[in-house]
Amino acid sequence: MSWESLNSQEYIRLFPNKEVKDFLFCCSNFSGVGHQLSATRLLSSPDGSRHHPLDGLEQIWPWNDSYSSLQRDTYTEVRTPRRPRLTWGCFQACRARIHHNIAKRKVDQGLRLYNQHKQQQAVRKWKSALKAIRKREDKFTLLGYLYQAYMDWGKYRDALEYAHRQLFISEELDSPNMRAESYLNLARAHQRLGGLERALAYARHSLYNECEQHATAGHVHLTVGSVYLELAGFNKALDSFQHAHRIAQAVHDPALELQVYVGLSELFSRLQDADKSARYASKAYDLSRSLQLGDLNSRHHRAALLQMASALRKQGELGDAHDYCSEATRLALVSGDQATYARSIRIMGDIYRKKSDINKAFRQYETAMGSAAAMGDRVIQMESMDGAARCLEALRLQHKICNCRPLEFNTRLLEVASSVGAKLLVRTVRIRLSRIYHSLGDEDQKLHHERVAHRLQQDLDLQCAGCGSPYGLESDSLEALPCAHILHARCAYDLFRRSKKKKRSCPECDRTSSRLYLNCTDYNTTYSPVPLSICSSDSHCTSHQATSSV
């Protein structure tokens, strides 16, 4: 076989494998001219003076061991990958990703700092991280942390700004869950600012969004109950608290359950049932001590302490009430919770007023009014003004001051309470003003305020369906039905004793039920003067005597 035939394209085409073709082509072009080569020239010399031209190549050929048509397809051409070309866009994306990871670490550091009562440092970390967060979901969560921090500080208008930014992100992502949380945050902030009707509107928007997070719906019902409590819609408030309590038990949320107990304690406190108020407050306090709530800085524990102090003050146990209130004040100062601090000062004023130390109580009320005015919290401001008005009324009845200052102060309080929509407080202030005008001899103004107070009492609809007499205006024992209607305890017991049926109906709405108490076991027909709490068995009920010391 000659090199010309080897060099011919027809002969090379006989070999299908690419490596063999390359080898033959290399051999045919070796030394420039193929026809001058001989077969012996390719051999190495015996003495080693001439080497084979291919001896230096360290290439393992694919047919050394075995070569078949099946193995032939497994060999692929190996090419050196090109080095990626870096552009300015790649550099920017890598830089932004690194900054995002650093920002997420700052968020975690801020959470640890917040739980260590270093709120200022935590908020600085969060604000610096907010500029570098890229994912909108992470930014939404971070805005929620900042919202809660400013709510704890009592800076409700700044919290509103973060809530509005959350709403903007939820609209961009079209997320119902995020939208529900945003509207909930807006409702809570407007509630503290005294915009109760607007808070209700935002809460309804939150419920309209079909959210999979049942805990969010529970917090919405809790907020609605708190708003109706300020508006003196006690039946609607009780119904909302019942919904929130059912959701809390369904999703096993102890923080939500604790807040429901606090709300129920406040509800029965305003309806002058001190025993039931203390029961619910005791359950909230026990829950805050026994459970490790994973919430920012245990603000619910401070709320439970304050509710215990308020309930015990109603029962006349002023020493224990003072201890609970002092502990709540201390924790509020440590954590920077201005709202809890202002409310604790106001409750401390109630305790001093109950002790007949009017001067010290009035100073406490003035401090609470100043803190509430600085925060813009019209609810605490209104409650503090009511306490101060009660002090002035006590001094007026003792003939230590004239009628002018109580008249001026109660007139201002009437304007604030009317703007907020607190009907029960408006009625109380109207009755107080009628007494002042009676002392001044102005019968026209006296009759005017009495008529308005009577009309407000009818609007409140605080009528017992059992006996027809009003409730909530004087100290009495009450009972709540599962349909959210409230009766005198004696009327409820008589009604259920007279009924021979297994299922008993409410005299207000005729709704049948085999239970008497809110989420309790079946009713026992024997009369018990001690009101039952929301729990399903007496083993879960803990009286306040067992937890009288902090």
Side-chain angles (χ1 to χ4, degrees), residues 6-24:
L6 183 65
N7 193 27
S8 64
Q9 296 297 327
E10 291 80 10
Y11 184 82
I12 293 177
R13 289 196 193 98
L14 296 177
F15 295 90
N17 190 277
K18 186 179 184 300
E19 285 81 6
V20 178
K21 289 180 179 180
D22 294 341
F23 172 71
L24 294 177

Side-chain angles (χ1 to χ4, degrees), residues 207-271:
L207 287 177
Y208 289 158
N209 289 274
E210 297 179 0
C211 59
E212 300 173 357
Q213 299 176 357
H214 298 289
T216 302
H219 285 284
V220 173
H221 285 295
L222 178 69
T223 304
V224 170
S226 301
V227 171
Y228 276 124
L229 191 60
E230 298 297 335
L231 294 173
F234 297 106
N235 292 330
K236 293 181 179 179
L238 183 59
D239 182 62
S240 299
F241 288 145
Q242 284 180 335
H243 279 90
H245 183 257
R246 283 194 291 268
I247 293 175
Q249 288 189 331
V251 301
H252 305 288
D253 189 346
L256 178 58
E257 188 176 1
L258 184 150
Q259 294 176 82
V260 170
Y261 291 144
V262 170
L264 288 170
S265 175
E266 183 64 25
L267 184 146
F268 284 102
S269 175
R270 297 192 184 192
L271 291 177

Side-chain angles (χ1 to χ4, degrees), residues 130-131 139-140 143 146 159-172 182 186:
L130 188 60
K131 303 175 182 178
K139 182 172 289 189
F140 183 89
L143 288 171
L146 288 167
L160 270 179
E161 178 185 352
Y162 291 112
H164 279 294
R165 293 176 67 177
Q166 279 188 310
L167 182 60
F168 180 75
I169 293 176
S170 67
E171 294 292 347
E172 284 185 336
S182 303
L186 288 171

Side-chain angles (χ1 to χ4, degrees), residues 7 26 29 60 79 144 166 253 293 296 356 399 448 504 541:
N7 193 27
C26 178
N29 293 288
I60 300 176
R79 294 182 179 180
Q166 279 188 310
D253 189 346
L293 299 178
L296 294 179
S356 299
H399 303 287
H448 168 70
R504 303 165 177 89
C541 297

Side-chain angles (χ1 to χ4, degrees), residues 317-361:
E317 301 186 15
L318 303 180
D320 293 338
H322 187 278
D323 293 339
Y324 279 102
C325 192
S326 299
E327 179 67 11
T329 305
R330 184 187 67 82
L331 292 178
L333 289 173
V334 169
S335 60
D337 188 350
Q338 296 184 22
T340 301
Y341 173 75
R343 187 163 178 256
S344 66
I345 295 299
R346 196 267 301 169
I347 294 177
M348 191 66 75
D350 293 340
I351 296 172
Y352 284 127
R353 180 168 55 84
K354 193 78 172 181
K355 292 180 179 179
S356 299
D357 194 345
I358 303 299
N359 293 327
K360 189 175 290 188

Side-chain angles (χ1 to χ4, degrees), residues 306-431:
L306 280 183
Q307 198 58 43
M308 277 296 298
S310 178
L312 293 176
R313 197 269 308 173
K314 287 271 189 180
Q315 287 188 322
E317 301 186 15
L318 303 180
D320 293 338
H322 187 278
D323 293 339
Y324 279 102
C325 192
S326 299
E327 179 67 11
T329 305
R330 184 187 67 82
L331 292 178
L333 289 173
V334 169
S335 60
D337 188 350
Q338 296 184 22
T340 301
Y341 173 75
R343 187 163 178 256
S344 66
I345 295 299
R346 196 267 301 169
I347 294 177
M348 191 66 75
D350 293 340
I351 296 172
Y352 284 127
R353 180 168 55 84
K354 193 78 172 181
K355 292 180 179 179
S356 299
D357 194 345
I358 303 299
N359 293 327
K360 189 175 290 188
F362 193 81
R363 287 196 296 270
Q364 295 288 325
Y365 291 135
E366 283 184 328
T367 305
M369 281 188 291
S371 299
M375 293 185 297
D377 193 330
R378 301 185 69 188
V379 175
I380 298 180
Q381 182 183 9
M382 180 180 63
E383 294 173 350
S384 304
M385 290 179 68
D386 180 55
R390 291 175 185 269
C391 290
L392 294 175
E393 181 68 11
L395 294 175
R396 185 185 73 85
L397 294 177
Q398 296 172 6
H399 303 287
K400 294 183 177 180
I401 59 174
C402 65
N403 296 318
C404 299
R405 191 177 179 189
L407 177 62
E408 178 185 0
F409 198 88
N410 280 278
T411 303
R412 244 186 331 170
L413 175 58
L414 181 61
E415 295 175 358
V416 174
S418 300
S419 63
V420 171
K423 294 181 181 179
L424 188 61
L425 181 57
V426 169
R427 174 192 172 274
T428 303
V429 176
R430 291 280 187 183
I431 293 176

